[in-house]
Amino acid sequence: MIKQVMFVLGLAIAVPATAGPFDGTWKAEVGLTQLNTRARVWSISNGVYRCASCTPPFSLSADGKPHSVPASEGVDAVSVRVVDSRTVLTKWMKRSQTIATYTLAAMPDGKSLRVTSHEVGANGKVATSQKLERRVAAAPKGSHAASGTWKDAKIERADEALLTITMKETDGVLHVNEGTGESYDARIGGPAVPIEGDRDGTMVSLRRTAPMTIVETDTAKGKVVSVTTMVVVNPTTMKIRGEEQNGNVRLWVARKI
């Protein structure tokens, strides 16, 4: 009756929009996050850095100077400098700009590697993280202590920008803003759209495979580079699984904040 009276009087009633299951700001839990399931293989010996697990593999002089690398790694140049007998500093660049630095520090036990990362986001801000990796295969004889085959063991810390993502679905369009500055507005089931702020010109498309599940496919130059499945398991928890073209799988558990 009240609603009928309001319409008769020509007054609009504001009805709160129902929030979608993905709406809100989500933060990954560090203790439940696995950044890399695929082993990484690199070595430094006789002044040469070799990345056997990179796509495609490459090698360069570890002289601290930038050297060109295959563009498929998302950068076009890398520099590698041996700091001391246990520590190596690498810088990854694109168009002469450093977009990430990684300090690789071998632990005295020879079984662990601490990796400290400083990554420049699309917003120009530097986000820092630190993780511990475990050795899964020996390094070539005579190589630097940080050499070997490594897999993620534990994320020790990470800036909030690397852990947060804000999402909002409106009329079938998902609006996504990452803490590092990248964003996109993509229609679920619609055509691929560019990710704003992405340095590699990545395109994103979405499809809904279940009421609480959205699958994101990222492509670059017409080729699929990653597929990410996002599943809201309850109103405050989302599980995310990302698989890259090289077989690496990343796993997150995120909580709504």
Side-chain angles (χ1 to χ4, degrees):
M1 175 62 78
I2 294 178
K3 183 182 292 187
Q4 291 175 338
V5 172
M6 297 294 282
F7 275 118
V8 168
L9 293 175
L11 301 175
I13 298 177
V15 179
T18 302
F22 291 90
D23 292 5
T25 297
W26 303 84
K27 183 177 180 180
E29 290 196 6
V30 171
L32 299 176
T33 297
Q34 189 172 10
L35 288 181
N36 202 321
T37 59
R38 181 173 179 264
R40 286 175 294 280
V41 186
W42 61 68
S43 65
I44 298 179
S45 59
N46 299 320
V48 177
Y49 169 85
R50 297 177 177 85
C51 183
S53 58
C54 290
T55 308
F58 64 82
S59 61
L60 53 85
S61 177
D63 56 7
K65 300 177 182 178
H67 296 275
S68 298
V69 298
S72 60
E73 279 298 307
V75 297
D76 53 30
V78 173
S79 72
V80 178
R81 178 170 66 89
V82 175
V83 178
D84 55 40
S85 62
R86 292 191 177 277
T87 311
V88 173
L89 177 67
T90 69
K91 293 184 179 181
W92 299 69
M93 289 157 274
K94 189 161 190 176
R95 301 186 187 96
S96 300
Q97 298 295 315
T98 298
I99 61 175
T101 64
Y102 301 96
T103 301
L104 317 175
M107 299 294 99
D109 63 6
K111 299 178 181 179
S112 302
L113 184 77
R114 176 166 285 123
V115 180
T116 303
S117 307
H118 302 279
E119 302 177 45
V120 182
N123 54 13
K125 297 180 180 179
V126 177
T128 300
S129 64
Q130 185 172 285
K131 64 180 178 178
L132 204 63
E133 300 186 357
R134 60 182 176 85
R135 185 184 295 280
V136 295
K141 186 176 180 179
S143 61
H144 188 273
S147 304
T149 301
W150 306 92
K151 292 188 75 173
D152 286 345
K154 178 184 179 182
I155 300 175
E156 297 181 310
R157 62 183 178 87
D159 286 351
E160 188 165 298
L162 295 170
L163 303 174
T164 56
I165 185 170
T166 299
M167 312 174 79
K168 175 70 176 178
E169 183 180 345
T170 307
D171 297 328
V173 175
L174 190 66
H175 311 275
V176 175
N177 291 277
E178 298 184 13
T180 48
E182 295 84 354
S183 64
Y184 66 77
D185 300 319
R187 179 166 296 281
I188 301 171
V193 298
I195 299 177
E196 298 296 329
D198 182 84
R199 298 183 180 91
D200 301 320
T202 305
M203 304 286 287
V204 58
S205 62
L206 304 174
R207 57 191 175 93
R208 197 191 307 274
T209 58
M212 301 294 185
T213 303
I214 290 178
V215 177
E216 173 187 318
T217 301
D218 292 354
T219 58
K221 297 179 180 179
K223 296 183 179 180
V224 174
V225 294
S226 65
V227 177
T228 302
T229 302
M230 301 171 282
V231 182
V232 176
V233 296
N234 62 51
T236 60
T237 305
M238 178 164 57
K239 291 185 177 181
I240 306 170
R241 182 185 189 276
E243 183 169 355
E244 300 173 358
Q245 62 176 348
N246 59 12
N248 176 45
V249 177
R250 301 170 186 264
L251 305 171
W252 300 267
V253 174
R255 310 291 187 191
K256 188 176 290 188
I257 59 175

